[in-house]
Amino acid sequence: MGCNIVDVPSHYIGDFKVGDNIAYNSDVLCELVNSNDGGRFNKLIVIQAASILEASLGEIIYRAQKFYIEGLSGIKEKDLEEIRGKKIDKLNNIILIMQKYKILHNLSETIYSEINELRILRNKIHIQDDIGNGFSRDEDAVFTNELRDRCLRLLLLIIEFLRVCPETL
């Protein structure tokens, strides 16, 4: 699987440095994908994809909390007020907020469970940690080509959503 470059407008980014880091880490992800002979970098690709996803989704929350004048037209003002009062910085919490306010609900019926699975897999960064949930303790059995491809498709789906939905974010 090669890496496709997708231009993404930065309208969903609230913090320039985070956007800069997303771009940098996206380039690194492409290098990993393009150098991934035999699936050697599958784990690194999954971790990198999850980190980019977390930063991207986190920017929606950041904008909801910080952009009082601009607002986010796709989120009700009442919901924005609730989001502004919350400390949200971990992917699990971001997923819960996205789900509660139905921010990604049009993408698929399973979008939140798919992101949550990616979160669990990203937490396998430490070699000695078990992640449970029916995953093998053998990393080569967990970080397969199929899993890598699913994670990259999920990241691309969400990035495409962020790219084409400026009026809702």
Side-chain angles (χ1 to χ4, degrees):
M1 171 177 223
C3 192
N4 297 323
I5 304 296
V6 177
D7 288 329
V8 180
S10 61
H11 62 81
Y12 75 94
I13 301 292
D15 181 333
F16 171 80
K17 185 37 86 181
V18 173
D20 191 40
N21 288 338
I22 289 171
Y24 169 79
N25 282 282
S26 295
D27 287 341
V28 171
L29 177 61
C30 285
E31 288 180 31
L32 284 169
V33 169
N34 291 332
S35 302
N36 192 32
D37 295 327
R40 181 179 173 110
F41 299 131
N42 284 349
K43 178 179 179 178
L44 299 175
I45 290 168
V46 169
I47 290 169
Q48 189 77 347
S51 297
I52 293 167
L53 181 71
E54 179 176 14
S56 296
L57 293 177
E59 282 301 286
I60 296 171
I61 304 300
Y62 178 88
R63 288 183 66 236
Q65 291 178 330
K66 305 290 184 188
F67 287 22
Y68 284 88
I69 295 171
E70 300 89 342
L72 279 84
S73 61
I75 303 175
K76 298 176 196 159
E77 188 60 36
K78 177 180 156 260
D79 293 343
L80 281 172
E81 290 301 319
E82 280 188 43
I83 292 170
R84 287 179 179 137
K86 295 181 188 228
K87 171 86 169 106
I88 303 165
D89 60 359
K90 300 291 181 195
L91 186 51
N92 185 57
N93 293 337
I94 291 170
I95 295 166
L96 293 173
I97 292 298
M98 296 282 156
Q99 189 169 16
K100 179 176 180 179
Y101 298 108
K102 299 178 180 173
I103 295 172
L104 304 173
H105 69 285
N106 288 330
L107 293 179
S108 78
E109 290 180 14
T110 60
I111 191 70
Y112 301 108
S113 61
E114 291 176 61
I115 298 170
N116 192 55
E117 180 183 37
L118 184 53
R119 176 192 66 82
I120 290 166
L121 292 163
R122 196 270 311 268
N123 290 346
K124 181 69 174 111
I125 191 168
H126 303 290
I127 295 168
Q128 76 275 15
D129 288 354
D130 286 330
I131 54 175
N133 295 24
F135 291 107
S136 172
R137 293 189 71 200
D138 295 320
E139 293 201 345
D140 61 339
V142 173
F143 296 100
T144 63
N145 291 341
E146 177 194 359
L147 173 69
R148 174 205 62 214
D149 293 349
R150 276 192 305 125
C151 290
L152 290 172
R153 279 192 299 274
L154 177 62
L155 176 61
L156 186 59
L157 175 70
I158 291 173
I159 293 298
E160 278 293 311
F161 168 78
L162 294 172
R163 185 175 74 81
V164 299
C165 292
E167 68 281 353
T168 61
L169 299 174

